[in-house]
Amino acid sequence: MSRQKIIVILGQTSTGKSDFAVEIAKLINGEIISADSRQVYKGMNLGTGKITKKEMRGVPHHLLDVASPHQVFSVNDFQKIANKKIAEIIKKGKIPIICGGTGFYIDSIVNGTIFPKVPPNKTLRAKLKKLSLIELNQYLEKLDPSRFKTIDKNNHVRLIRAIEIAKTLGKVPSINEGSLGFPQRPSFLKIGLTLPPEILKERINNRLLARLKKGMLREIENLHKNGLSWKRMKALGLEYRYGALYLQNKILKDEMIQKINSESWYYAKRQKTWFKRDQNIIWVNPTKNKEKNIALKTVKEFLKENPF
């Protein structure tokens, strides 16, 4: 029995994943499933770099705008909806393309990881909330060194949740080889986009300036007017964290820009650390046409092998 085929486009922030995924989707009659932990939220468009209708070029996109920013959307939520969308796309005779930079989300599909539901531990959370960022990081590093390497070390909420899970499970979640509802695990082709550090840094800065020009701060202000607390904004990270601080007159605009750029670069380095563990990723510099063409050829060859 032939295996189902799924394409994965991954990589660091600002490498051009969305455009490349659309290009591939147009070529192979695919539909795209976003694997971005913040683009799932409604109203968070400019700050997350969410693809526009025009940029989609008629290609259906899924897992965008599926949750309220007031609520926490977990990897379990993503996995459940993404698996359902994959099955629907295949049923239509199209190719699923997972595209994003949230490694945890991507691994939940590619590896079929089971995430046991760990209920909130209010007593533990109350104790952890009293700890500083440094103390939380040290605590998590002792409990789960692997998760510590990839987590946002400035995010109190994620650090506390990671500690809560590590203390409850005491081990890395197991793998479910039978997920996605197919007799065999699907076959995945993973293409990673990569750029030289100096080019990536420039892109991160230019992207931020473009978002500010388009009204990113108005977007953040509107989210707050619609009931999203400054505290929740902080948890959502990066543009929302520092944009909120600026709007509260707690930092200057130049400091906001500097903070977002430095944190984005730090995030990009964490993404690189996460993805470099996987030896099956084919890395491509999207600014080099020769490498792009080889990647497109690889996609075609992958789909021809044991076609469904």
Side-chain angles (χ1 to χ4, degrees):
M1 185 179 291
S2 54
R3 298 169 69 186
Q4 303 293 347
K5 304 293 180 70
I6 298 175
I7 312 282
V8 181
I9 307 299
L10 53 82
Q12 293 166 283
T13 184
S14 302
T15 49
K17 298 182 294 295
S18 294
D19 289 341
F20 191 56
V22 167
E23 189 174 344
I24 289 176
K26 298 289 284 185
L27 183 71
I28 65 171
N29 190 29
E31 294 192 11
I32 295 169
I33 296 171
S34 171
D36 186 291
S37 62
R38 298 191 305 164
Q39 290 185 5
V40 296
Y41 294 117
K42 300 171 185 176
M44 292 173 55
N45 304 322
L46 290 171
T48 64
K50 198 176 293 177
I51 191 169
T52 65
K53 287 289 183 184
K54 183 178 180 181
E55 291 166 341
M56 289 180 188
R57 294 168 56 195
V59 175
H61 280 64
H62 308 278
L63 270 292
L64 298 172
D65 302 319
V66 295
S68 165
H70 297 269
Q71 301 169 332
V72 175
F73 188 88
S74 70
V75 65
N76 298 75
D77 297 322
F78 170 80
Q79 186 184 50
K80 182 178 179 180
I81 301 174
N83 283 348
K84 182 180 178 182
K85 290 299 178 184
I86 287 170
E88 290 174 1
I89 292 166
I90 290 173
K91 192 174 181 180
K92 288 189 285 186
K94 294 189 174 185
I95 308 296
I97 302 170
I98 299 169
C99 173
T102 304
F104 206 31
Y105 279 19
I106 292 169
D107 282 1
S108 77
I109 302 302
V110 175
N111 298 328
T113 309
I114 299 172
F115 297 95
K117 291 185 178 180
V118 177
N121 184 330
K122 293 182 180 180
T123 303
L124 176 62
R125 288 186 177 188
K127 292 179 180 178
L128 294 175
K129 284 179 181 179
K130 296 176 183 178
L131 300 182
S132 66
L133 268 177
I134 294 174
E135 290 171 324
L136 287 172
N137 276 288
Q138 290 173 341
Y139 197 174
L140 179 61
E141 187 175 19
K142 288 180 181 178
L143 283 173
D144 192 342
S146 178
R147 181 70 181 109
F148 173 74
K149 288 180 181 179
T150 58
I151 199 167
D152 181 350
K153 295 174 177 61
N154 291 312
N155 192 317
H156 286 83
V157 175
R158 289 191 182 179
L159 285 165
I160 289 172
R161 180 58 178 162
I163 291 170
E164 187 176 54
I165 290 171
K167 283 185 71 67
T168 303
L169 300 181
K171 61 180 181 179
V172 177
S174 59
I175 302 299
N176 173 18
E177 295 295 342
S179 66
L180 294 181
F182 301 118
Q184 291 180 296
R185 285 291 301 161
S187 181
F188 293 90
L189 174 65
K190 289 171 277 188
I191 298 175
L193 302 193
T194 184
L195 291 169
E198 63 276 9
I199 294 178
L200 187 58
K201 279 187 176 180
E202 184 180 4
R203 279 198 177 193
I204 287 172
N205 180 62
N206 291 341
R207 182 189 66 174
L208 173 58
L209 296 178
R211 290 177 181 180
L212 287 168
K213 191 174 181 179
K214 290 178 181 177
M216 187 183 82
L217 290 172
R218 284 197 304 274
E219 175 178 283
I220 296 171
E221 199 167 22
N222 287 335
L223 284 167
H224 183 61
K225 286 179 179 177
N226 288 325
L228 195 63
S229 69
W230 295 126
K231 183 179 180 181
R232 175 61 177 150
M233 212 86 74
K234 181 181 179 181
L236 290 166
L238 292 172
E239 296 83 358
Y240 297 94
R241 175 185 298 152
Y242 294 108
L245 288 174
Y246 168 71
L247 291 173
Q248 294 174 85
N249 297 313
K250 292 184 177 181
I251 58 174
L252 299 173
K253 191 170 185 179
D254 286 347
E255 185 180 1
M256 174 194 71
I257 291 171
Q258 186 274 323
K259 288 284 189 182
I260 295 173
N261 274 330
S262 62
E263 287 292 331
S264 295
W265 176 244
Y266 184 54
Y267 173 59
K269 290 198 290 185
R270 291 201 310 276
Q271 288 177 303
K272 185 176 181 180
T273 298
W274 182 283
F275 291 128
K276 74 178 183 181
R277 304 169 308 156
D278 191 340
Q279 300 301 310
N280 295 316
I281 297 172
I282 299 170
W283 291 101
V284 175
N285 183 332
T287 65
K288 295 184 177 181
N289 288 329
K290 185 177 180 181
E291 291 190 26
K292 276 186 68 176
N293 290 334
I294 290 173
L296 294 173
K297 184 180 178 181
T298 302
V299 169
K300 290 180 179 179
E301 290 173 351
F302 169 72
L303 294 177
K304 286 179 182 177
E305 297 172 2
N306 299 317
F308 63 86

